[in-house]
Amino acid sequence: MTTIPINTTRQMKQKNIMLVASTLKSLSSATKGDISAQTGLSLATCGTILNELCSKGEIIEESIDESRGGRPAKRYIYNSNYFSILSIYIEGNDTSGVISSSLRSADGKTIVEYDKIYTDLTEDTLLAQIQEFADKFSNIKAIGLGLPGVIVDGKILTCDITCLEGLAITELLSNRFGVFVQVGNDMNYTAFGFYRNHCRNINEPIAYIFMPPRHCAGCGIVISGKMLRGASQFAGEVSKLPFYDNLGSKINSHYELVQQRLIYITSSLIAMINPVTIAISGEHISQNCIAELSAQLLKKFDCKHIPRFVYRDDIKYDYHNGISEYTLDAYNNFRVFEI
């Protein structure tokens, strides 16, 4: 996420509010003293912020701890129903695929998930799916959308679902549903979701390769907790590497083609960003496939350069987790610093 410079008293206060709220989420329940100890903020500052968050309904005063002498301490919990985040992604092409939706609470817990198979996708198909959730859940305050394409400044430049190309998707959804909207690339979100679950606080590069059955391979990269998008949002488009489409005459099976592409893609990543971990998922990918890949890479690189490989049998959880986590971070920054 973008680091917001703290250069005014108001911004410092808002930063402290975010710190107290996130700390309370991580602790499940806590007293003012607990939060002060965790954040390093004074008891007076924590008390003021807790009172403000209580008045808004973002946190709830749960109980009062037994007194050990003096005034008993109030205990607080984060209100998971304060708002919800809708994570939604489209996988497929113009004529067939799936719209996958996951609704999460303000503290990141999954409320409901739903997949809808589509044929002949249109803009209206997507809007109808979101409207269905908006009608059932009135406290949706942010929507995160993942797409297999390049999105710049809220506009879809290229996409596997070509009918969406050229659409100013962020503006469209924001105007239609009146909520905060975050739109991004499928592999960036998937890599970010994997990072948050399995590599949080690791600063070294993390990569995630997906080999889908019907489309070109994609790759997402996270460095120091931030997505690597590139100057024109094109980073990770590994199918544009020069070898990608030039292996056909040398290959005897589709499995072998996948393996050779993986060897070239991972070799490129090792040479360029030297990742500590690479997650791999997709068609013809298995734990055995990854073992073979490691053996082949050892013929080209010293063992100290070989990353840890992690097999993922499906990208769905990582994908939704990345959309939800990134959108939640962005929305929290928006509502605290910009509203």
Side-chain angles (χ1 to χ4, degrees):
M1 294 301 301
T2 301
T3 301
I4 297 176
I6 306 301
N7 52 22
T8 68
T9 301
R10 178 178 177 273
Q11 286 177 328
M12 178 61 73
K13 178 186 176 183
Q14 302 298 64
K15 181 189 176 219
N16 289 341
I17 289 173
M18 288 185 67
L19 179 60
V20 169
S22 63
T23 300
L24 188 55
K25 288 180 189 179
S26 68
L27 295 175
S28 298
S29 72
T31 64
K32 177 172 65 176
D34 295 332
I35 294 172
S36 176
Q38 287 287 321
T39 62
L41 299 174
S42 69
L43 285 171
T45 297
C46 289
T48 300
I49 292 172
L50 289 169
N51 288 337
E52 183 175 334
L53 293 176
C54 267
S55 67
K56 293 179 179 178
E58 186 167 354
I59 69 172
I60 299 170
E61 187 179 314
E62 184 184 36
S63 61
I64 298 179
D65 282 0
E66 290 185 11
S67 174
R68 298 177 183 174
R71 183 181 298 177
K74 297 177 181 178
R75 183 162 290 274
Y76 302 89
I77 60 172
Y78 193 84
N79 180 10
S80 62
N81 296 318
Y82 187 59
F83 63 84
S84 59
I85 301 279
L86 178 60
S87 160
I88 188 164
Y89 71 78
I90 308 174
E91 188 177 73
N93 53 34
D94 290 343
T95 58
S96 64
V98 62
I99 302 176
S100 183
S101 307
S102 178
L103 188 70
R104 297 198 182 188
S105 60
D107 58 354
K109 295 182 176 63
T110 300
I111 300 170
V112 63
E113 289 187 345
Y114 174 66
D115 289 350
K116 179 178 181 179
I117 305 298
Y118 71 79
T119 56
D120 298 321
L121 181 78
T122 66
E123 175 188 324
D124 289 338
T125 310
L126 173 62
L127 294 175
Q129 175 79 346
I130 298 174
Q131 189 65 57
E132 186 177 331
F133 273 86
D135 291 341
K136 291 179 181 178
F137 303 96
S138 59
N139 71 338
I140 294 175
K141 300 300 181 184
I143 297 170
L145 173 64
L147 295 170
V150 177
I151 298 94
V152 178
D153 296 330
K155 186 175 182 179
I156 304 170
L157 298 189
T158 62
C159 189
D160 291 345
I161 301 102
T162 59
C163 65
L164 299 180
E165 290 181 348
L167 196 63
I169 187 68
T170 300
E171 181 181 2
L172 171 68
L173 297 182
S174 181
N175 290 341
R176 172 70 178 266
F177 298 102
V179 299
F180 178 83
V181 175
Q182 179 78 39
V183 182
N185 170 266
D186 54 353
M187 291 313 305
N188 287 340
Y189 278 139
T190 303
F192 189 75
F194 174 81
Y195 166 81
R196 277 293 180 93
N197 258 0
H198 301 280
C199 309
R200 189 186 288 262
N201 299 324
I202 292 177
N203 290 323
E204 292 80 7
I206 308 293
Y208 198 118
I209 301 169
F210 180 47
M211 310 287 285
R214 293 180 293 177
H215 300 288
C216 296
C219 179
I221 299 167
V222 176
I223 302 177
S224 297
K226 298 181 180 180
M227 296 177 189
L228 177 65
R229 295 189 180 91
S232 61
Q233 315 294 305
F234 201 68
E237 297 294 331
V238 292
S239 66
K240 301 302 182 182
L241 290 169
F243 63 81
Y244 194 86
D245 293 319
N246 300 324
L247 298 173
S249 60
K250 309 172 187 177
I251 304 301
N252 297 318
S253 68
H254 188 64
Y255 174 81
E256 189 179 347
L257 177 62
V258 169
Q259 278 292 99
Q260 285 299 311
R261 282 175 171 169
L262 268 181
I263 290 170
Y264 280 109
I265 292 170
T266 52
S267 295
S268 300
L269 289 171
I270 290 170
M272 296 300 292
I273 64 168
N274 190 200
V276 67
T277 299
I278 298 179
I280 305 177
S281 185
E283 186 183 34
H284 296 299
I285 304 296
S286 66
Q287 196 64 55
N288 290 337
C289 166
I290 290 178
E292 293 176 26
L293 173 63
S294 296
Q296 291 297 317
L297 290 172
L298 283 170
K299 297 176 182 179
K300 302 177 66 174
F301 300 98
D302 187 281
C303 63
K304 67 183 177 183
H305 302 310
I306 305 299
R308 176 178 70 108
F309 288 105
V310 179
Y311 166 63
R312 307 297 286 166
D313 61 356
D314 186 31
I315 71 167
K316 181 177 180 179
Y317 179 77
D318 295 326
Y319 198 170
H320 271 308
N321 189 58
I323 296 173
S324 298
E325 291 258 346
Y326 196 84
T327 303
L328 179 60
D329 286 354
Y331 175 62
N332 280 334
N333 274 333
F334 170 76
R335 71 190 181 91
V336 171
F337 287 97
E338 298 187 33
I339 292 179

